[in-house]
Amino acid sequence: MDPLTVFLDEQEEKIVEQFKNQVVVSEHDHLKDRIHLNGQAMYRMVIGYFRSEITEEDIRNLAFKVACKRNQAKINIADFVHNVCLGRKLILDCLQEGGISAPVLLPALLKINECFDIFLVHAVSKYTELKNRDLAEKQMFIERSHKDRLTILGQLASSFVHEFRNPLTSIIGFSKLIREDHPELPYLHIIENELHQLNYSVSQFLLVSKKGSAVLKNDEIFNVHQLFEEILAFLYPTIVDVNAEITCVIDPACELTGSRDEIRQVLINIISNALDALQRITGERLISIEASQEGKQANIAISNNGVPIPPDVLPVIFEPFFTTKELGTGIGLYVCKEIIERHEGTITCESSDERTTFTMCFEQIHAFHEYDKKQV
């Protein structure tokens, strides 16, 4: 028998014991008392490979087995690689200290390193595959739970809105009658404005239950300039209260196709958020509104110089239930995104210390309406 393999056989107990004493073990590892057995299996793998008794496929199978155990134990990949490299180091140190001649030692070191390299490639690949699969399953569970939550919220929203809107509609109607009978009555316009604001907030919850809807109830062409005039008149009391200066650069010919009420709700939400951000700063408070149309594409940008959105928060502002406001519901921007996507549009946000800008882009379908008219 080869003297080198005899030497390795004799050193097995010593090296496995060293491995057991030096290996990195996590406290929550339920297999920590048996981890040295992996070291023993790896050691025998090296000897078998050195003797040409095992193949690369055998090494791959062992690597998969060890990777599965380490994944089940929820071990960090860095600790796993460290322990494999520890086993390699102990074997190489043992050979170099064994008084073996250089002509015999060098090929042995290359063979052992090759064995460990093959093992590590397969083990890390399998470990990563298993981790990714676990993460995908967890993500699927989270998304399923999230959808269930949205479904429940949608059902609650529908029930709440129908119970709430009947008396709210009556109050709004009677306020109009009072204004007709007593037009000089003070503060009535404030009451009506607050009622419309409340009706707008209630509508947001109702829109949550429409997630995934691809059909627009009101498919019409409407003028963006006129829509903004209406919105700014609606928000005028809040604008005055915040003492915000609003500048508008809106193409009078800019038009959108879809539900006017839904787009109105989106723009009110974004401007209201801008006003809220402005309330938290001192000095000049500015909101800039720009709207333009290039061919069939309409672009709307709403900017403010208020408190910026933190970089770590920016990627999740359109997620449902996420909010930085103390009493926020976390559905405002989520609803905006849903509405815009239903209109075949996109919404993005950029934020810096100087300004925060929400940009909406819509691909218009005027030709579709013209085609429909021809068919009538």
Side-chain angles (χ1 to χ4, degrees):
M1 184 178 291
D2 184 5
L4 188 56
T5 57
V6 172
F7 175 78
L8 289 173
D9 283 335
E10 292 173 349
Q11 300 300 314
E12 178 179 340
E13 184 176 347
K14 171 188 170 183
I15 292 179
V16 171
E17 184 64 24
Q18 288 178 339
F19 181 82
K20 182 178 180 180
N21 294 334
Q22 298 179 38
V23 70
V24 173
V25 180
S26 175
E27 287 299 321
H28 65 267
D29 185 354
H30 65 282
L31 298 173
K32 60 184 178 181
D33 295 332
R34 302 177 59 191
I35 194 171
H36 66 283
L37 298 178
N38 286 342
Q40 187 176 46
M42 289 168 55
Y43 189 85
R44 292 175 179 172
M45 170 194 73
V46 171
I47 296 176
Y49 188 68
F50 191 79
R51 291 174 174 168
S52 300
E53 294 175 352
I54 66 172
T55 64
E56 288 191 19
E57 185 174 349
D58 296 324
I59 297 175
R60 181 180 64 85
N61 292 336
L62 176 62
F64 283 5
K65 182 179 179 181
V66 174
C68 289
K69 288 182 178 179
R70 296 295 80 204
N71 180 61
Q72 291 171 1
K74 295 179 172 46
I75 298 304
N76 186 287
I77 185 67
D79 292 342
F80 175 61
V81 173
H82 169 83
N83 290 337
V84 174
C85 291
L86 172 64
R88 184 205 305 250
K89 178 180 180 300
L90 292 175
I91 294 174
L92 296 181
D93 288 348
C94 180
L95 285 174
Q96 292 176 19
E97 296 169 0
I100 301 171
S101 63
V104 176
L105 180 61
L106 183 57
L109 296 179
L110 293 175
K111 189 77 171 177
I112 291 169
N113 275 320
E114 181 184 25
C115 179
F116 270 100
D117 289 342
I118 295 170
F119 178 86
L120 265 177
V121 167
H122 289 302
V124 171
S125 297
K126 187 64 175 180
Y127 183 94
T128 304
E129 175 191 330
L130 293 171
K131 279 295 180 186
N132 288 339
R133 187 187 65 189
D134 292 345
L135 288 174
E137 290 176 354
K138 289 178 181 178
Q139 183 64 28
M140 188 181 299
F141 174 77
I142 291 171
E143 289 178 357
R144 191 182 302 117
S145 300
H146 194 60
K147 289 179 180 178
D148 291 343
R149 190 179 180 187
L150 287 178
T151 301
I152 294 172
L153 179 61
Q155 293 170 349
L156 289 173
S158 298
S159 176
F160 168 76
V161 167
H162 291 302
E163 292 292 332
F164 197 84
R165 262 196 170 157
N166 288 335
L168 181 60
T169 302
S170 297
I171 295 171
I172 292 174
F174 279 113
S175 69
K176 290 180 180 179
L177 292 176
I178 293 173
R179 177 160 46 80
E180 292 175 2
D181 294 339
H182 305 280
E184 75 290 347
L185 198 64
Y187 311 122
L188 189 58
H189 68 286
I190 297 177
I191 294 173
E192 287 184 329
N193 185 75
E194 292 300 318
L195 287 172
H196 286 298
Q197 287 275 25
L198 182 59
N199 187 52
Y200 157 73
S201 299
V202 170
S203 298
Q204 279 195 319
F205 282 94
L206 186 60
L207 281 169
V208 172
S209 63
K210 296 180 181 179
K211 181 174 180 9
S213 174
V215 180
L216 300 175
K217 286 187 176 180
N218 302 311
D219 198 8
E220 57 181 317
I221 300 175
F222 54 91
N223 184 272
V224 173
H225 188 276
Q226 294 175 356
L227 181 60
F228 270 113
E229 284 185 340
E230 178 185 321
I231 291 170
L232 294 179
F234 174 68
L235 293 174
Y236 181 74
T238 308
I239 295 171
V240 172
D241 184 56
V242 175
N243 192 26
E245 179 183 340
I246 298 183
T247 58
C248 297
V249 181
I250 302 174
D251 182 355
C254 183
E255 294 180 330
L256 289 178
T257 305
S259 170
R260 188 178 190 275
D261 289 341
E262 289 192 357
I263 297 298
R264 177 179 182 271
Q265 184 151 346
V266 169
L267 300 177
I268 288 176
N269 200 319
I270 293 175
I271 296 175
S272 296
N273 284 349
L275 291 168
D276 181 71
L278 291 176
Q279 284 184 309
R280 291 176 280 166
I281 67 168
T282 57
E284 198 173 26
R285 298 171 173 177
L286 305 174
I287 291 179
S288 170
I289 299 173
E290 298 179 6
S292 62
Q293 188 160 342
E294 300 176 5
K296 292 184 179 181
Q297 180 169 303
N299 302 309
I300 299 174
I302 301 175
S303 305
N304 72 83
N305 67 332
V307 176
I309 301 173
D312 59 322
V313 170
L314 200 57
V316 295
I317 59 173
F318 295 108
E319 293 295 322
F321 310 115
F322 177 83
T323 180
T324 58
K325 300 178 184 178
E326 184 177 352
L327 299 177
T329 61
I331 64 170
L333 288 177
Y334 166 71
V335 168
C336 290
K337 184 172 182 288
E338 289 295 306
I339 290 174
I340 290 173
E341 288 181 350
R342 283 207 294 270
H343 285 75
E344 302 297 327
T346 60
I347 180 170
T348 57
C349 178
E350 297 178 351
S351 187
S352 66
D353 292 336
E354 289 74 33
R355 66 172 47 208
T356 297
T357 302
F358 283 86
T359 303
M360 291 149 278
C361 300
F362 301 88
E363 290 291 337
Q364 297 306 285
I365 51 174
H366 294 165
F368 173 80
H369 292 275
E370 293 171 1
Y371 176 79
D372 276 354
K373 291 175 183 177
K374 293 177 183 178
Q375 299 298 314
V376 176

